[in-house]
Amino acid sequence: MQWTDRIRQVKIILVVAAVLIAMASLFISHYLVRDLSIEEHNKMEVWAEAMRALNQADEETDLNLVLKVINENNTIPVIVLDRHGEATTFRNIDPRGTDFADSLQKASVMGQDMLKAGNAIKIYLDDEGKGDFINVCYDDSVMIKRLSMWPYVQLGIVMVFVVIAIFALLTSKRAEQNKVWVGLSKETAHQLGTPISSLMAWTEILKESYPDDELLPEMDKDVKRLQLIADRFSKIGSLPELVPSSLTEVLAHVVDYMNRRTSAKVEMLTEFPDEDLIVDINPQLFEWVIENLCKNAVDAMEGEGRITLRVLDEDGRTAVEVEDTGKGIRKKDIHNVFTPGFTTKKRGWGLGLSLAKRIVEEYHKGRIFVKSSEIGKGTTFRIELRG
């Protein structure tokens, strides 16, 4: 749980950092764009005055300064419209017309859009300001447009970085969990191997010495059970072999085992289809999953209630449901039930359901989830397997 909490804290820090970077970038870019826009507006006022001076020029007017101001605008798109809204000239735009007249017509449309957007300076061609006039229409330069888009590009880059970082953390967490699972399972199987072999030998000796003893068959069953448990642990960490198996037969073994290990107050019910379903599973590991679900159900019912094992054939997809009449799971805990270390039991380790999820999803390529749960009425777990 400490590792899970640490991962959650790191994810929160990364998201908060991304938001702060985005806000700071947007704030700075806003002021930069505003200042550049004001500067470009001032340049266009000077450019417009130069156009007015050009229109009023006579033979004695020195146009060197005027032409220099007009020709030095190489960044700001500008279109000059006459009083009728027709373009007379343009600069730093590409109307893509077939000829000059067509280009002027398209520039007129673009200029009208700039005029409607309020990006225009009206210049009267006479000194009294009442006669003929032109509208100098302009748009933001490429630099301002790129600068306006940069915060969003930066935000996208930051979000991609955050996603990659979180994915790397989760992958690292999953890899560490896998190492723990494999190491624990292999060591458990190894440690069980020697005493099981010894018990098997002693059982055979007792059979020869006391062939009619009624307790020896039960002892032999328990030894075989230990051997099965060791075999299950040895399969964790390696890819188990999936073989066509009777799902009804596998679940019947679980029912038989639970009936012998639980009190008479726990009723085990089965709902199987008329035709036996054959699916590709590892019988030992799949039985382990169902046993874990049944044992959790017995604990949730506090040793008294009903467990229903249900097998469904749904359009080529096989499903197994384990339903109990226990105390149910709180809604806030449902998404944590498969998290390693999470448990509501005082003496629980919180590994049973996480192990079941690993076996179903990683080894059998299936899906396991809480189908429904209601406090005081019970819980239904559902396993879906490929047909």
Side-chain angles (χ1 to χ4, degrees):
M1 292 300 290
Q2 292 180 354
W3 175 255
T4 303
D5 293 339
R6 194 180 308 123
I7 289 291
R8 188 179 294 110
Q9 292 172 1
V10 171
K11 288 193 292 185
I12 293 174
I13 291 173
L14 287 173
V15 172
V16 171
V19 172
L20 291 177
I21 291 173
M23 291 178 62
S25 181
L26 288 172
F27 180 79
I28 295 171
S29 297
H30 170 74
Y31 280 96
L32 288 175
V33 170
R34 186 196 64 177
D35 293 341
L36 286 174
S37 297
I38 293 173
E39 183 179 349
E40 288 192 353
H41 178 78
N42 294 334
K43 287 182 179 180
M44 290 313 303
E45 287 184 342
V46 175
W47 198 89
E49 286 296 325
M51 288 295 298
R52 188 174 72 86
L54 183 63
N55 280 276
Q56 291 181 342
D58 53 25
E59 296 179 354
E60 299 180 356
T61 304
D62 185 5
L63 296 179
N64 290 331
L65 181 59
V66 172
L67 293 175
K68 183 178 181 182
V69 171
I70 293 175
N71 292 328
E72 282 186 349
N73 175 27
N74 297 315
T75 57
I76 304 174
V78 59
I79 300 173
V80 179
L81 301 179
D82 60 18
R83 64 186 304 167
H84 303 294
E86 300 294 332
T88 59
T89 185
F90 54 84
R91 192 174 182 87
N92 301 323
I93 66 169
D94 185 12
R96 297 187 180 278
T98 57
D99 52 28
F100 183 71
D102 188 31
S103 297
L104 283 179
Q105 185 177 0
K106 293 183 177 180
S108 299
V109 176
M110 298 171 65
Q112 291 293 337
D113 293 336
M114 296 177 186
L115 186 63
K116 292 177 182 178
N119 296 330
I121 301 174
K122 181 180 286 188
I123 299 296
Y124 287 94
L125 301 181
D126 58 359
D127 294 332
E128 297 179 358
K130 296 181 180 179
D132 197 12
F133 66 88
I134 59 174
N135 283 308
V136 178
C137 306
Y138 62 93
D139 197 5
D140 292 332
S141 64
V142 175
M143 181 182 297
I144 288 183
K145 290 180 178 179
R146 289 177 178 174
L147 189 58
S148 300
M149 291 299 298
W150 170 244
Y152 302 100
V153 175
Q154 189 178 34
L155 177 61
I157 294 173
V158 171
M159 292 306 298
V160 169
F161 168 77
V162 170
V163 170
I164 293 175
I166 292 176
F167 177 77
L169 286 171
L170 294 177
T171 302
S172 175
K173 172 190 173 184
R174 192 176 296 111
E176 183 171 334
Q177 288 178 349
N178 289 340
K179 289 181 180 179
V180 172
W181 278 120
V182 173
L184 178 62
S185 300
K186 297 296 184 183
E187 182 64 20
T188 301
H190 175 71
Q191 294 294 334
L192 287 174
T194 302
I196 290 175
S197 299
S198 179
L199 286 172
M200 292 175 66
W202 281 111
T203 303
E204 293 300 322
I205 294 173
L206 290 174
K207 285 180 180 179
E208 293 178 0
S209 302
Y210 306 98
D212 299 326
D213 196 310
E214 297 179 354
L215 296 179
L216 287 179
E218 295 299 322
M219 183 184 296
D220 188 53
K221 289 181 181 179
D222 289 335
V223 173
K224 289 181 179 179
R225 178 68 186 178
L226 286 173
Q227 192 175 14
L228 175 62
I229 292 173
D231 184 54
R232 288 172 175 175
F233 276 110
S234 67
K235 287 181 169 61
I236 300 297
S238 58
L239 190 62
E241 181 183 2
L242 305 183
V243 296
S245 306
S246 167
L247 199 57
T248 301
E249 184 178 340
V250 170
L251 296 184
H253 290 166
V254 176
V255 172
D256 180 63
Y257 171 76
M258 293 301 299
N259 282 331
R260 288 187 286 109
R261 296 300 191 279
T262 56
S263 68
K265 296 181 179 180
V266 175
E267 184 180 8
M268 296 289 299
L269 301 179
T270 58
E271 295 180 8
F272 297 158
D274 296 334
E275 295 185 2
D276 193 9
L277 296 178
I278 305 299
V279 292
D280 291 335
I281 59 174
N282 184 278
Q284 293 87 353
L285 292 182
F286 198 78
E287 280 185 28
W288 200 1
V289 171
I290 305 301
E291 284 178 16
N292 277 329
L293 294 178
C294 290
K295 289 177 181 177
N296 284 342
V298 172
D299 291 336
M301 297 185 303
E302 297 180 347
E304 183 177 356
R306 184 178 65 255
I307 299 175
T308 303
L309 296 182
R310 188 178 297 112
V311 177
L312 304 170
D313 186 14
E314 302 174 341
D315 299 328
R317 182 178 58 185
T318 303
V320 178
E321 293 182 355
V322 180
E323 179 183 335
D324 65 59
T325 56
K327 56 186 178 182
I329 304 172
R330 295 180 297 181
K331 289 185 178 180
K332 68 176 184 177
D333 291 335
I334 288 179
H335 67 282
N336 288 325
V337 294
F338 296 105
T339 302
F342 178 84
T343 181
T344 57
K345 295 181 288 187
K346 294 181 179 179
R347 297 183 179 181
W349 284 48
L351 297 178
L353 288 178
S354 60
L355 179 61
K357 183 179 180 68
R358 179 187 179 92
I359 293 173
V360 171
E361 297 188 354
E362 293 191 21
Y363 295 159
H364 292 83
K365 307 304 178 184
R367 182 178 174 223
I368 181 172
F369 57 95
V370 178
K371 179 183 178 181
S372 62
S373 185
E374 188 174 349
I375 298 298
K377 292 190 176 181
T379 302
T380 300
F381 282 88
R382 181 180 173 92
I383 301 171
E384 294 180 353
L385 299 172
R386 294 183 298 178

